[in-house]
Structure formats: structure tokens, C-alpha cells
């Protein structure tokens, strides 16, 4: 059918004229579909309207960790700050092990949300798709809590934590481990909201949770209680439970609350398609982080305290790249599935442009923070001096991490898991060989920079070789420009 409305005809002509992949024999329906797809790519302004609230969400957790560092450093001293280092390996890094769950949820729900013909169908599909990840999160959280309750002393002994630091570290782990279920449920709920293009609701929730955490730190670390590491952990636990409950309530209001049930075999298949590869990827990255921390532990208490400040600062700032990864993960799947090169290129160009400016700006901010702000975390002059010396190395790590995270989102959207696993294991193996030879903290962070830089180069090489789903789409040849006469425009010779 041919639409006779002059405005529609004019719009179709403009769309066809700008479409470098237009098929000379394409119909009006095809032109309309292309127009619809192009509108979904979004401008940089639209991307920023999603990315900035998402940034606030991802920064909330490391920001609160740095606030914990500041409270513990000021109230429990260098020993308390050093105790946080192995404690966060056992809690934050262990929870990071389950980050595959939130990434899988984003991929599954994002595809389901764009599968319907209208908003009602999209919401129903997203709710159904999120049921299995939520159930998995609850079961995993309960198992984690039991693990922490029974095995925390053995875990700290295995990490060879100084016996003097173990009581403080144990108290932190027990508090955080008790609410592991709430933490995992929160990550799944957050992914559901982001996959359905809502970054404002979770931003409001995590902002309220941040206030709860700061108030808790003040009460439990400073006055009237002076619990040190345990107080910081308890404040974070209360904030996590609050945030998780509020997100569940908001999902219910939006009719997005998934049901908890025994998953069907087909649903498990969809989840396992992501979980298996992502678990291997996360394990390889976690091994790298733990190995860095264990190497830092051999340099003494002052160096370990300095490392704790630097690693938390690095994690805080590298998360500026996470919204860029989310943009790729939520926008690219439908374009890659449709083999839409134009929309894929447009989206990646916008996201990577934002990544370049973000990495440079955030890198500079990281350098200034560690150079001039070490006194915010500790009053020990020796630790402050170590932090300032390591600042340039941490800055390079942040810059490479933001670019790597942006590219990682594109690779996850294309589900090129075999490549991600291969390059992850290879770079991890090289890092593990280098770490024992590192004689200072700067070299330790240098191994992390190497991992991320090699990943970016590997992705670029794979795209150039037209390998994987992303490389195949970007490597597609453009068809000659030609506008079909189905919209009343004379075809170009």
C-alpha cells in the first residue's frame, strides 16, 4: 500500500535519501521499518538523559564504600582501614562474582521488552523474562549467607590475613553476608528497570539508600556507637535492605514485579545461555582483582591501607563507564538481530564518543582526587604519601577501564562470549605471571591497565577482521544509494 498523505511521503523520501543501505527493490513497508529502527538509535542528548541517571545508580555503591573507608579510617585508624581490604575481598568481590546475574538480566529483559507490539505486551514480556533471574538471585543469596555464617574464619585464614586484623574483618563480613539475598535481589531489580529504559526510579531509590547509609555510618561509627568496621558494615546492610525492598515495591507499581517460581526448562535455557559464559568471564576478572589485593598485602600495613584507598577510588571512577555499557546492551541487540548496520554504527559512534570524553575527564578527576584528597580517607602521613605516588598509575587504569567497559557492552550485546572468555583468560594469565614481579603499588595497577587495554585492542581487531556478530554487521557492504519509486521519487541512476 502507498500512503497518500503528503507529509508522510515527504518523510519517507527524506528517510530513503539518507539510508545508505536502501535496497532499490524495497517496499514502503521496509522504509517505514527502517525509519522506526533509526528513531530508536537515539541522539547523544537522549543517550545522556539515560546515561546520567544510570551513572548515579552505579556510582552509589562505590561512593558508599569510600564513605565507609573515610569513617573507618578516621575512627578506627590505619589498622581498621587495612582490615577493610580483606573484608571487601570476601564481600564485595564475592558479590561481584554474581554480577553475571545482573548482566544476564539486562540482556534477557532488554530483548523481551522490545519484542511486543505495544507497551502492555512489552511489560508483560519483561516481567515474565525477569522471573527466572529473580528466583536464581534469591536462592543464591540464601546460599551465600549460609556460606558466610559458617566459613568466614576459614576464608580469612586462606587469604593469610594478619591475625590482628581478623576480628575487625570478620565483623564486617558477617554483617554484609547476612543480607546477601537483598543485595542480589537489588541487582536484578535494578537491571529490570534499566532494561525497560527507566533510570530515574532506581536513581531516586539509591539516593535515599545513600542517605540511610551515611546516617547509619554516623550513628554506628562515630556517635553514640563506635563499632568501627562492624558499624560501617551494619550501615551498608541496612541501606541495602531498604533499597531492595523499595525497588520491589516500585516494580509492583509498574506491573513489572516478576513472580518467584520454579523456572521452566526454556527459561533456564535462556538464562544459562548468558550465565555460563558470563560466569567464566567474571571469575577471570575476579581472580585478577584478588591477586592484585593479595600482592598488595605482602607490602605491609601502610601499603595495604593505601591500596584500599586507591582500589576503591579506582572502582568508583571506572564505573563512570558502566552507563555506556548499559547503552550498548539495551540498544544494540535489536539492531544486531535485524542486521541493521546503519543503526549499529550510529549507536556505537555516539556511545564511543561519549566514552572518549568521559575517560579523559574522569581520568583527570581521579588524578586530582588521589593527589590532593588522600587526607579525606586517612590522617596517616605515610599512607597519604603512598596514595599520591600511586595516583598516576590509578589514573591510567581508570581511563583504560572506561573505554574497555564501553566496548564490553557492545560485545555482550552481540553475545560474542567465546571471544570475551578467550581474551579474558589470556590477559588474566599474563597478569598473574607479572604480579609476583611487581615491587610497588603502581606496578600492580599497571597490570590492570594492561588487561583493559589489551581487551580494547582485541575487540578492535575482531571487528576489523569481521568476526563475531558485531564484526559481521559492521563489515557488511553498503548497497548503492537508490530511492524506490514506491514513494513517488525518481530512482537514481
Amino acid at each position: 500500500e502507498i500512503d497518500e498523505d503528503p507529509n508522510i511521503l515527504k518523510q519517507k523520501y527524506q528517510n530513503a535519501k539518507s539510508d545508505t543501505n536502501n535496497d532499490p527493490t524495497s517496499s514502503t513497508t521496509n522504509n517505514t521499518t527502517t525509519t522506526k529502527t533509526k528513531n530508536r538509535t537515539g541522539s547523544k542528548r537522549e543517550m545522556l538523559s539515560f546515561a546520567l541517571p544510570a551513572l548515579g545508580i552505579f556510582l552509589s555503591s562505590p561512593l558508599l564504600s569510600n564513605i565507609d573507608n573515610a569513617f573507618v579510617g578516621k575512627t578506627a585508624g590505619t589498622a581498621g582501614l587495612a582490615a577493610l581490604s580483606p573484608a571487601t575481598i570476601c564481600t564485595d568481590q564475592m558479590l561481584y562474582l554474581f554480577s553475571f546475574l545482573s548482566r544476564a538480566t539486562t540482556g534477557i529483559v532488554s530483548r523481551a521488552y522490545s519484542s511486543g507490539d505495544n507497551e502492555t505486551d512489552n511489560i508483560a514480556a519483561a516481567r515474565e523474562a525477569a522471573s527466572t533471574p529473580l528466583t536464581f538471585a534469591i536462592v543464591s543469596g540464601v546460599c551465600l549467607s549460609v556460606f558466610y555464617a559458617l566459613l568466614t574464619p576459614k576464608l580469612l585464614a586462606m587469604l593469610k590475613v594478619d591475625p590482628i586484623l581478623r576480628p575487625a574483618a570478620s565483623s564486617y563480613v558477617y554483617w554484609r553476608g547476612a543480607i546477601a539475598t537483598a543485595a542480589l535481589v537489588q541487582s536484578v531489580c535494578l537491571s529490570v528497570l534499566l532494561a525497560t529504559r527507566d533510570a530515574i526510579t532506581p536513581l531516586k531509590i539509591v539516593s535515599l539508600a545513600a542517605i540511610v547509609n551515611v546516617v547509619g555510618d554516623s550513628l554506628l561509627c562515630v556517635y553514640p556507637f563506635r563499632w568501627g568496621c562492624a558499624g560501617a558494615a551494619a550501615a551498608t546492610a541496612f541501606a541495602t535492605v531498604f533499597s531492595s525492598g523499595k525497588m520491589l515495591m516500585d516494580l509492583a507499581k509498574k506491573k513489572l514485579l516478576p513472580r518467584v517460581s520454579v523456572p521452566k526448562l526454556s527459561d533456564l535455557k535462556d538464562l544459562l545461555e548468558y550465565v555460563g559464559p558470563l560466569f567464566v568471564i567474571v571469575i577471570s576478572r575476579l581472580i585478577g582483582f584478588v591477586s592484585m589485593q593479595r600482592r598488595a598485602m605482602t607490602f605491609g600495613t601502610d601499603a595495604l591501607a593505601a591500596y584500599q584507598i586507591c582500589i576503591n577510588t579506582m572502582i568508583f571512577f571506572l564505573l563512570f563507564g558502566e552507563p555506556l555499557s548499559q547503552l550498548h546492551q539495551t540498544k544494540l541487540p535489536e539492531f544486531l538481530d535485524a542486521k541493521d548496520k546503519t543503526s549499529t554504527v550510529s549507536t556505537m559512534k555516539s556511545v564511543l564518543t561519549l566514552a572518549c570524553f568521559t575517560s579523559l575527564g574522569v581520568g583527570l578527576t581521579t588524578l586530582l582526587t588521589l593527589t590532593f584528597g588522600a587526607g579525606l580517607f586517612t590522617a596517616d602521613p605515610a599512607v597519604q604519601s603512598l596514595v599520591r605516588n600511586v595516583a598516576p598509575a590509578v589514573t591510567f587504569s581508570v581511563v583504560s577501564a572506561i573505554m574497555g567497559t564501553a566496548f564490553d557492552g557492545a560485545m555482550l550485546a552481540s553475545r560474542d562470549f567465546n571471544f570475551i572468555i578467550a581474551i579474558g583468560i589470556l590477559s588474566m594469565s599474563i597478569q598473574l605471571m607479572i604480579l609476583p614481579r611487581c615491587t610497588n603499588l603502581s606496578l600492580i595497577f599497571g597490570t590492570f591497565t594492561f588487561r583493559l587495554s589489551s581487551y580494547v585492542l582485541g575487540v578492535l581487531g575482531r571487528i576489523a577482521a569481521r568476526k563475531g556478530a558485531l564484526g559481521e554487521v559492521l563489515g557488511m557492504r553498503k548497497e548503492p544509494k537508490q530511492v524506490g519509486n514506491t514513494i513517488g521519487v525518481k530512482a537514481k541512476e
Side-chain angles (χ1 to χ4, degrees):
E1 288 184 359
I2 302 174
D3 241 319
E4 297 299 333
D5 190 301
N7 292 326
I8 295 178
L9 291 174
K10 182 179 178 182
Q11 182 64 42
K12 288 178 179 177
Y13 168 71
Q14 291 172 343
N15 291 335
K17 187 176 180 181
S18 63
D19 187 5
T20 58
N21 288 321
N22 189 41
D23 190 325
T25 61
S26 63
S27 64
T28 304
T29 304
N30 190 46
N31 288 329
T32 305
T33 303
T34 303
T35 303
K36 195 183 296 184
T37 304
K38 282 186 175 184
N39 289 337
R40 290 178 185 173
T41 61
S43 64
K44 290 186 181 69
R45 181 177 295 179
E46 290 171 337
M47 288 184 177
L48 281 173
S49 69
F50 173 87
L52 291 178
L55 175 62
I57 295 164
F58 288 111
L59 290 183
S60 63
S61 179
L63 176 61
L64 294 177
S65 293
N66 279 291
I67 291 172
D68 284 349
N69 283 346
F71 274 100
V72 171
K74 293 292 186 180
T75 59
T78 302
L81 199 56
L84 278 183
S85 186
T88 52
I89 288 180
C90 299
T91 53
D92 292 339
Q93 302 290 8
M94 187 70 79
L95 289 174
Y96 175 74
L97 187 63
F98 286 85
S99 64
F100 66 83
L101 192 56
S102 61
R103 289 179 177 269
T105 303
T106 299
I108 293 170
V109 175
S110 177
R111 276 187 161 84
Y113 187 67
S114 59
S115 64
D117 296 326
N118 53 60
E119 186 66 11
T120 303
D121 290 345
N122 287 339
I123 289 174
R127 183 175 61 243
E128 184 67 24
S131 176
T132 301
L134 180 63
T135 304
F136 192 89
I138 292 172
V139 173
S140 301
V142 171
C143 293
L144 263 182
S145 293
V146 173
F147 172 83
Y148 284 126
L150 299 177
L151 299 175
T152 293
K154 291 184 179 179
L155 197 57
L156 293 175
M158 186 177 69
L159 291 173
K160 298 180 181 179
V161 178
D162 190 327
I164 297 175
L165 303 178
R166 287 185 193 180
S170 296
S171 63
Y172 188 91
V173 174
Y174 284 132
W175 271 104
R176 294 290 302 277
I179 50 91
T181 301
L184 293 181
V185 167
Q186 174 187 255
S187 70
V188 169
C189 293
L190 176 60
S191 295
V192 172
L193 288 167
L194 290 177
T196 54
R197 306 345 185 232
D198 181 6
I200 299 298
T201 299
L203 177 62
K204 292 177 181 177
I205 295 172
V206 297
S207 298
L208 288 173
I211 295 172
V212 171
N213 196 324
V214 173
V215 172
D217 278 331
S218 300
L219 294 174
L220 300 176
C221 292
V222 181
Y223 185 83
F225 305 100
R226 298 179 184 275
W227 290 358
C229 289
T236 302
F238 294 146
T240 302
V241 171
F242 167 81
S243 176
S244 179
K246 189 71 173 66
M247 281 192 187
L248 289 171
M249 291 170 60
D250 277 39
L251 283 176
K253 288 179 184 177
K254 292 173 173 288
K255 299 181 179 178
L256 278 168
L257 182 63
R259 71 183 191 284
V260 178
S261 60
V262 178
K264 299 175 184 176
L265 186 60
S266 58
D267 295 332
L268 274 176
K269 246 181 174 182
D270 291 339
L271 181 62
L272 290 175
E273 182 183 359
Y274 282 88
V275 168
L278 284 175
F279 184 74
V280 176
I281 294 165
V282 170
I283 281 286
S284 69
R285 294 175 182 176
L286 181 61
I287 290 173
F289 275 120
V290 172
S291 299
M292 289 169 63
Q293 206 143 8
R294 291 190 68 180
R295 182 58 182 166
M297 289 168 64
T298 65
F299 296 158
T301 301
D302 286 352
L304 187 57
Y307 177 83
Q308 178 66 14
I309 293 170
C310 290
I311 193 69
N312 275 338
T313 302
M314 185 189 80
I315 290 173
F316 173 77
F317 283 116
L318 69 80
L319 284 176
F320 275 75
E322 193 60 37
L324 304 171
S325 174
Q326 288 289 324
L327 280 170
H328 271 152
Q329 290 182 65
T330 55
K331 288 182 171 291
L332 283 184
E334 60 178 313
F335 303 145
L336 293 173
D337 290 346
K339 305 291 185 184
D340 185 348
K341 177 178 178 177
T342 302
S343 298
T344 301
V345 170
S346 175
T347 299
M348 289 192 68
K349 183 179 178 182
S350 297
V351 173
L352 294 177
T353 299
L354 291 173
C356 289
F357 285 108
T358 301
S359 61
L360 293 175
V362 174
L364 178 61
T365 306
T366 303
L367 180 64
L368 295 175
T369 300
L370 292 177
T371 302
F372 300 106
L376 296 173
F377 304 101
T378 178
D380 190 326
V383 176
Q384 290 182 25
S385 176
L386 283 169
V387 169
R388 283 191 288 268
N389 290 337
V390 183
V394 178
T395 299
F396 283 118
S397 293
V398 168
V399 171
S400 61
I402 290 175
M403 294 303 300
T405 303
F407 277 102
D408 193 44
M411 299 305 288
L412 290 173
S414 68
R415 293 186 284 192
D416 197 354
F417 298 127
N418 289 337
F419 169 78
I420 301 175
I421 290 172
I423 195 167
I425 292 176
L426 177 62
S427 59
M428 177 198 71
S429 301
I430 297 173
Q431 182 186 29
L432 294 182
M433 288 190 290
I434 297 174
L435 275 172
R437 296 172 174 81
C438 293
T439 55
N440 55 56
L441 295 180
S442 294
L443 291 177
I444 289 177
F445 283 99
T447 64
F448 182 77
T449 303
F450 161 77
R451 284 196 69 170
L452 273 297
S453 300
S454 62
Y455 181 76
V456 171
L457 293 175
V459 172
L460 291 174
R462 189 161 178 80
I463 292 173
R466 299 183 182 181
K467 300 292 185 181
L470 185 61
E472 288 175 5
V473 172
L474 294 179
M476 289 169 58
R477 291 186 178 181
K478 296 182 180 180
E479 296 292 338
K481 260 191 181 180
Q482 194 170 18
V483 180
N485 53 19
T486 55
I487 57 174
V489 182
K490 186 179 179 180
K492 294 183 179 181
E493 295 298 334

